[in-house]
Amino acid sequence: MKPNLINGLWETTGHGAENINPSDTSDVIGVYAQAGRAETETAISAAAEAFPAWSHSTPQQRHDILHTAGDEILARTEELATLLAREEGKILKEARGEVTRAGHIFLFFAGEALRQRGELRDSVRAGVQVEVTREPVGVVGIITPWNFPIAIPAWKIAPALCHGNTVVFKPAELVPGCAWALVDILHRAGVPPGVLNLVMGPGAVVGQSMLDDARVDAITFTGSQATGTRVAQASLPHMRRVQLEMGGKNPLVVLDDADLDTAVECALDGAFFSTGQRCTASSRLIVTRGIHDRFVSALADRMARLKVGPALEEATQIGPVVDSTQLAQDLDYIAIARNQGGVLRAGGDALQLQTNGYFLQPSLITDTHPDMRINREEVFGPVASVIAVESYEEALAVANATDFGLSGGICTTSLKYASDFKRKAEVGMVMVNLPTAGVDYHVPFGGRKSSSFGPREQGSYAAEFFTVVKTAYTRP
């Protein structure tokens, strides 16, 4: 059984949970210890006790640990990618990319540990000097989802440690393997006892214990809108800072003047790669009438050539969805869309392959309107809908007519429309002639409306969440 890490020690609880391969449910990847409330509270105590010393550790110490971890992640890319593909279902090519990104994130924040930023200003009062500096927040609770089992933990843990915080980390129950491997790497890289604690277990127990404990100074969460709302509500009595990433219903606008091949590839990648299990996926394809029929036909043809199969097979282009619950949800939304008048143009069937897994044909639903549930609610699978519109102005209005606001894209050869969309799209990230999914690690990530709450993640902007600003006045 793989144990939790609490106060620098690997602790095995009395019971564990199996980690199952969604490509082949007979493949048990391992058994991982399940923390309860007592173990979580012990981890929080350890993090609180370790904070004073770690918050005053040298930038060089933090740099060396993060750099060592980043180097090992990259050196073990193939091994970690295979683990990721087995436990989450991401195909090997995508898994390798995610592991590489995690390694690069740690190397970036190793550099950030040495890039100390502050301000020295003259006061408006003669003879007084003003310093503006940043200090760590304290104990940070980190709660991550299953769809990026190493990259999202990396982009939360790395800046937390970089800026001198201590961490209590709860990964998603479906993907403990990558989380355990990442924590093991950091532990061996020299993270002091109590600075990084791993507590695997159910959100109703481990996550709730973190929310209930006033010693947790900040929580960064990625997951569903409903859970994110509960995290915010539970944190308010403690005046705890929160950072929430809660999904999207991302539009890809395709205009009449778009290059057809570019638009099709953007839609194919954004909607269906990573089995559509990305918060930045292009789930709404908003297409003007002049190109609509050609676009839909070309996209359906490309979808028909995609190979669905086990994640570890190199020829596979679309892996399984993550579990039976997600497969049932995807199929339910397809049925709801058809019952509301949508036309299933491509895919839509669960597949029985040689291995017992959760395979679903990528699905394209046409003849939809903006008020249908398929266009209002996040499906989180390889399912995309098409909305036909008359003009760019209507496309922009439909794109913005959602409670979500994470990512938005446009395919066009018009500088006028591209520039207008970049300015007026009500999202945190805009893509022009690119898939809505796929972002860099050194620039801010996040959205607007119900997609995100709190400061941005990644890059130098991560300091906004993981540090507090202090202003000091001195009369020499």
Side-chain angles (χ1 to χ4, degrees):
M1 182 187 299
K2 294 286 189 180
N4 289 296
L5 182 68
I6 300 174
N7 201 20
L9 300 174
W10 292 107
E11 303 281 358
T12 301
T13 55
H15 65 287
E18 291 183 336
N19 187 8
I20 304 297
N21 182 346
S23 293
D24 179 1
T25 57
S26 67
D27 177 23
V28 179
I29 299 159
V31 178
Y32 292 80
Q34 299 292 283
R37 190 172 187 91
E39 290 83 5
T40 306
E41 291 176 348
T42 301
I44 294 169
S45 295
E49 291 171 7
F51 175 69
W54 180 247
S55 66
H56 290 97
S57 60
T58 67
Q60 188 67 53
Q61 181 183 3
R62 299 195 296 273
H63 167 276
D64 291 349
I65 291 170
L66 296 175
H67 203 286
T68 298
D71 282 345
E72 181 171 341
I73 291 168
L74 294 176
R76 294 172 58 189
T77 295
E78 197 64 26
E79 172 198 346
L80 293 172
T82 300
L83 172 61
L84 196 161
R86 283 179 72 197
E87 75 168 355
E88 196 269 346
K90 199 167 275 151
I91 65 170
L92 274 173
K93 178 182 177 181
E94 294 169 338
R96 292 182 188 114
E98 181 176 339
V99 171
T100 299
R101 180 177 179 179
H104 288 163
I105 288 167
F106 273 95
L107 295 180
F108 175 86
F109 282 105
E112 283 291 276
L114 299 174
R115 288 188 283 266
Q116 301 296 300
R117 298 179 177 89
E119 301 175 44
L120 183 63
R121 298 186 178 187
D122 289 333
S123 170
V124 295
R125 293 168 287 174
V128 175
Q129 191 175 74
V130 182
E131 297 169 82
V132 181
T133 56
R134 289 187 175 273
E135 297 182 355
V137 174
V139 176
V140 176
I142 293 178
I143 302 174
T144 59
W146 50 260
N147 62 323
F148 283 86
I150 195 166
I152 292 180
W155 84 49
K156 293 178 186 292
I157 293 172
L161 298 180
C162 163
H163 293 295
N165 302 281
T166 56
V167 169
V168 179
F169 169 38
K170 193 209 93 65
E173 297 162 65
L174 288 173
V175 287
C178 285
W180 193 94
L182 179 59
V183 170
D184 176 59
I185 288 169
L186 284 160
H187 178 60
R188 289 184 292 97
V191 175
V195 170
L196 174 63
N197 303 273
L198 172 67
V199 278
M200 299 176 288
V205 178
V206 176
Q208 190 62 50
S209 298
M210 293 165 65
L211 292 177
D212 292 342
D213 201 310
R215 295 171 297 176
V216 177
D217 300 292
I219 288 185
T220 174
F221 164 86
T222 299
S224 71
Q225 192 177 63
T227 304
T229 300
R230 290 200 296 272
V231 170
Q233 291 171 340
S235 295
L236 186 59
H238 302 298
M239 299 301 287
R240 171 191 297 137
R241 64 170 56 190
V242 293
Q243 180 184 60
L244 309 174
E245 290 296 337
M246 299 173 288
K249 195 65 187 171
N250 309 293
L252 177 68
V253 171
V254 179
L255 298 184
D256 288 351
D257 65 5
D259 178 86
L260 182 61
D261 291 339
T262 297
V264 168
E265 292 305 315
C266 286
L268 195 78
D269 182 319
F272 306 118
F273 289 0
S274 295
T275 323
Q277 296 175 150
R278 299 183 283 191
C279 56
T280 51
S282 307
S283 52
R284 293 184 297 146
L285 309 177
I286 303 169
V287 187
T288 49
R289 294 281 184 189
I291 198 173
H292 176 276
D293 291 352
R294 290 181 293 131
F295 171 80
V296 169
S297 178
L299 179 57
D301 287 346
R302 283 287 285 114
M303 291 171 62
R305 299 199 299 271
L306 291 174
K307 179 175 175 53
V308 180
L312 291 175
E313 294 184 4
E314 289 284 0
T316 296
Q317 295 171 290
I318 304 292
V321 299
V322 73
D323 67 356
S324 59
T325 300
Q326 189 63 49
L327 178 60
Q329 177 174 302
D330 295 346
L331 292 170
D332 283 348
Y333 270 108
I334 293 168
I336 291 166
R338 297 180 74 179
N339 289 336
Q340 291 185 330
V343 175
L344 184 62
R345 177 61 184 265
D349 293 326
L351 300 176
Q352 297 295 321
L353 303 181
Q354 290 183 339
T355 57
N356 184 28
Y358 308 114
F359 302 104
L360 176 65
Q361 289 178 316
S363 309
L364 185 67
I365 302 167
T366 63
D367 298 81
T368 74
H369 58 78
D371 292 332
M372 291 170 61
R373 285 184 62 188
I374 195 69
N375 291 319
R376 309 297 300 177
E377 301 170 12
E378 188 175 33
V379 178
F380 220 69
V383 181
S385 57
V386 180
I387 304 170
V389 294
E390 301 296 334
S391 64
Y392 165 74
E393 289 74 19
E394 184 182 358
L396 176 64
V398 171
N400 287 337
T402 173
D403 292 335
F404 294 99
L406 184 56
S407 182
I410 186 169
C411 291
T412 180
T413 55
S414 165
L415 179 60
K416 170 187 172 183
Y417 290 135
S419 299
D420 193 73
F421 188 80
K422 285 191 288 186
R423 173 65 185 85
K424 294 179 181 177
E426 295 172 358
V427 293
M429 299 175 290
V430 176
M431 310 293 185
V432 178
N433 295 322
L434 289 165
T436 58
V439 296
D440 294 345
Y441 61 86
H442 67 303
V443 293
F445 175 97
R448 297 164 61 172
K449 303 181 185 178
S450 295
S451 286
S452 303
F453 180 84
R456 291 289 191 259
E457 297 191 281
Q458 301 201 66
S460 59
Y461 280 77
E464 297 297 324
F465 179 74
F466 290 103
T467 64
V468 293
V469 174
K470 175 179 283 184
T471 306
Y473 296 84
T474 303
R475 185 185 297 279

